[in-house]
Amino acid sequence: MAVGQKTIRVVIGKVGCDIHERGALILARAFRDAGMEVIYLGRYQTAEAVAKTAVDEDASVIALSDHTGSMRYIAKETVDALKKFGGSDIPVIAGGLIPKKDLPYLEKLGVTGNYGPGTPLETVVNHIREVTEIDWPKGEVPG
Amino acid sequence: MIERTLDPKTAKLVDDMLQGNARALARLITIVEEDGEDAHLVLGQLGPTGRAHRIGITGPPGAGKSTLVNRLTSCARQNGLRVGVICADPSSPFTGGAVLGDRVRMTEHSMDEGVHIRSMSTRGSLGGLPTTVHGVIELMDASGKDVILVETVGVGQMELDVMASVDTVVVALVPEAGDDVQAMKAGLMEIADVFVVNKADRPGAESLLVGIRSMLDLVCHGDGWRIPVLATQAENNIGVEDLYQQIWEHRRFGLESGSFEERRAHQRHDEFTAALQKMVTHQFMQTVAADPQLAACVTRMNAGEISPYEAASEVFRTVSQKLR
């Protein structure tokens, strides 16, 4: 690998009690094939553990996966925890089964992507390249 | 490269890191990992390091290295020590990408402020560890860690970088790793300061233990250290406390016999040579790029008109005269 080259480092995790790991694993593989380094945390994480890991690992981005309809809570906790550990400049993207009605809330929180089933892998990969290239301002969310 | 100094932002990171700030440490590791100009500058500013004991865990894929590291981290924490963990996984030879999955075995430590776990990919290095690992160890040391655990990628017989990076090498094997002849082979079997047969509840553990012990009876370690061979079940937390004690015993032995300091001196010298090589190459290549005649010489070499050795001699002669 070339000297001085920047590498995108992605932390992938599933927070809470959600066994559906296939999507996260497929994404891990897709990110790897796109030349990224994937720090794979797998299932049954807490939002705080994901956030602290991202800070310790100097992650370029956090990718959250959830299939229980709880993304709004998971994302909020993760964003809050990032603030606590001094990593609020780390962008957060999400995917899985996300209720449509939660999308505006997540966008407002600064959590982007919010992909559902059937999204081409390329779309997600390109989104990561976009969010890691810019300083990502995360909005304050009431409540 | 040599004349430059650190920009204020990075200099602040170094200060914060020396105060024990985890985010600053993480950012600096990235800078060192990228191995650009700033990496040298950062590593030049750490002040005295070397306080932490550096432990390498190596062995074939699936031997339980990550689980052992996880348990050893618990032992160190119970003794009130601050722990840095570096775990390496392979990078893809095709895309440079990597899946770093060692942390999955270490989640119990993920919320502990006294533990900093960093996953690294080998970034093309073939020795079992990324080439920048030494710098990352130095950073963790400077940030106040007492113990640094370095886990290699799953190795075969010949990925031995770990011995040049740590104070104590633990080689972890699993039953059915082979017979006595396998145990006699050069390479991996030579570099252990402590042997571990992990997953020792599996069939074949006893014969592997005997095989390694009888192999060790035939050799004599230069410094007189008798290499312990331990049976562990990291998953069930059996035998790990003993392993932890043997690692410290090795440190005590090394400090008394002088082999600890001897090894460190070798490592420092290697690192110095590597750093110097990088700087000299960089300086020479810059001079070549700025000199049309030398650049033309390299172009002719690329085209096969003159040999790489001729070109290198030509460049070396001209540039060293210029630098004089």
Side-chain angles (χ1 to χ4, degrees), chain A residues 1-7 9 28-29 31-42 45-46 48-50 52-59 84-90, chain B residues 22-23 26-31 33-37 87 91-92 95-104 107 109-113 115-124:
Chain A
M1 175 160 283
V3 162
Q5 192 173 324
K6 302 233 182 276
T7 303
R9 290 167 62 85
R29 175 71 190 265
F31 297 159
R32 186 200 84 180
D33 290 345
M36 302 173 187
E37 292 182 355
V38 181
I39 295 122
Y40 190 76
L41 294 181
Q45 296 292 321
T46 64
E48 289 215 320
V50 171
K52 183 169 180 291
T53 298
V55 168
D56 283 2
E57 296 276 3
D58 195 23
K84 182 176 146 191
F85 296 117
S88 46
D89 56 326
I90 301 173
Chain B
R23 184 86 210 270
R27 309 257 18 180
L28 290 171
I29 291 177
T30 302
I31 291 173
E33 219 182 354
E34 280 162 5
D35 204 18
E37 294 184 16
C87 26
S91 60
S92 159
T95 67
V99 173
L100 312 173
D102 293 323
R103 283 193 81 104
V104 174
T107 44
H109 300 294
S110 58
M111 289 314 294
D112 184 347
E113 299 280 341
V115 179
H116 193 121
I117 303 172
R118 177 69 173 219
S119 315
M120 294 181 77
S121 93
T122 51
R123 300 208 176 171

Side-chain angles (χ1 to χ4, degrees), chain B residues 302-319:
Chain B
N302 287 343
E305 290 166 29
I306 56 172
S307 81
Y309 309 100
E310 276 176 274
S313 304
E314 170 72 21
V315 166
F316 184 78
R317 217 176 309 118
T318 318
V319 179

Side-chain angles (χ1 to χ4, degrees), chain B:
Chain B
M1 161 176 208
I2 294 155
E3 296 81 6
R4 272 192 56 222
T5 51
L6 271 186
D7 61 278
K9 215 175 124 196
T10 316
K12 168 107 174 39
L13 283 178
V14 175
D15 288 340
D16 289 351
M17 181 275 293
L18 292 172
Q19 304 294 318
N21 181 308
R23 184 86 210 270
L25 173 60
R27 309 257 18 180
L28 290 171
I29 291 177
T30 302
I31 291 173
V32 166
E33 219 182 354
E34 280 162 5
D35 204 18
E37 294 184 16
D38 279 355
H40 272 137
L41 295 170
V42 166
L43 292 172
Q45 304 232 327
L46 299 182
T49 55
R51 214 181 47 84
H53 192 65
R54 299 142 184 218
I55 304 162
I57 313 284
T58 191
K65 295 182 293 299
S66 304
T67 312
L68 280 167
V69 167
N70 182 45
R71 297 295 189 197
L72 288 171
T73 304
S74 304
C75 293
R77 291 301 290 148
Q78 278 156 20
N79 288 285
L81 301 177
R82 282 159 298 179
V83 183
V85 177
I86 300 166
C87 26
D89 269 321
S91 60
S92 159
F94 303 108
T95 67
V99 173
L100 312 173
D102 293 323
R103 283 193 81 104
V104 174
R105 324 260 176 244
M106 306 176 193
T107 44
E108 65 188 89
H109 300 294
S110 58
M111 289 314 294
D112 184 347
E113 299 280 341
V115 179
H116 193 121
I117 303 172
R118 177 69 173 219
S119 315
M120 294 181 77
S121 93
T122 51
R123 300 208 176 171
S125 157
L126 298 175
L129 286 171
T131 53
T132 52
V133 74
H134 192 85
V136 177
I137 292 172
E138 290 289 306
L139 280 173
M140 286 198 165
D141 193 318
S143 78
K145 302 290 180 270
D146 303 300
V147 174
I148 300 165
L149 289 156
V150 181
E151 179 192 341
T152 72
V153 305
V155 302
Q157 294 176 312
M158 217 30 234
E159 297 93 328
L160 311 178
D161 278 1
V162 67
M163 64 186 286
S165 316
V166 300
D167 303 315
T168 302
V169 175
V170 177
V171 171
L173 300 170
V174 278
E176 300 186 359
D179 58 9
D180 299 17
V181 178
Q182 212 64 23
M184 298 253 296
K185 288 187 179 171
L188 183 68
M189 300 302 285
E190 286 179 288
I191 66 166
D193 298 305
V194 180
F195 269 112
V196 166
V197 175
N198 193 34
K199 307 189 185 182
D201 50 333
R202 297 206 176 165
E206 198 54 42
S207 69
L208 182 60
L209 284 164
V210 170
I212 298 170
R213 282 185 187 131
S214 55
M215 177 272 286
L216 290 174
D217 286 339
L218 299 175
V219 298
C220 179
H221 224 267
D223 58 5
W225 168 250
R226 183 152 179 97
I227 301 165
V229 186
L230 309 169
T232 60
Q233 298 171 41
E235 182 76 31
N236 305 321
N237 208 8
I238 294 173
V240 181
E241 181 61 38
D242 193 22
L243 168 61
Y244 183 76
Q245 294 305 334
Q246 289 294 338
I247 290 167
W248 288 102
E249 191 53 43
H250 178 248
R251 178 184 167 87
R252 271 190 294 275
F253 179 89
L255 288 172
E256 277 169 28
S257 72
S259 58
F260 178 92
E261 195 39 53
E262 199 181 324
R263 192 186 288 202
R264 281 268 175 107
H266 269 293
Q267 292 171 355
R268 285 190 206 106
H269 194 85
D270 286 352
E271 199 55 22
F272 157 76
T273 317
L276 194 60
Q277 260 169 9
K278 252 184 228 166
M279 284 183 199
V280 170
T281 311
H282 186 84
Q283 178 75 47
F284 270 57
M285 292 313 279
Q286 272 189 340
T287 319
V288 169
D291 182 322
Q293 209 181 328
L294 290 177
C297 169
V298 172
T299 312
R300 290 214 323 279
M301 183 273 298
N302 287 343
E305 290 166 29
I306 56 172
S307 81
Y309 309 100
E310 276 176 274
S313 304
E314 170 72 21
V315 166
F316 184 78
R317 217 176 309 118
T318 318
V319 179
S320 37
Q321 266 162 13
K322 274 190 174 193
L323 291 175
R324 201 165 279 160

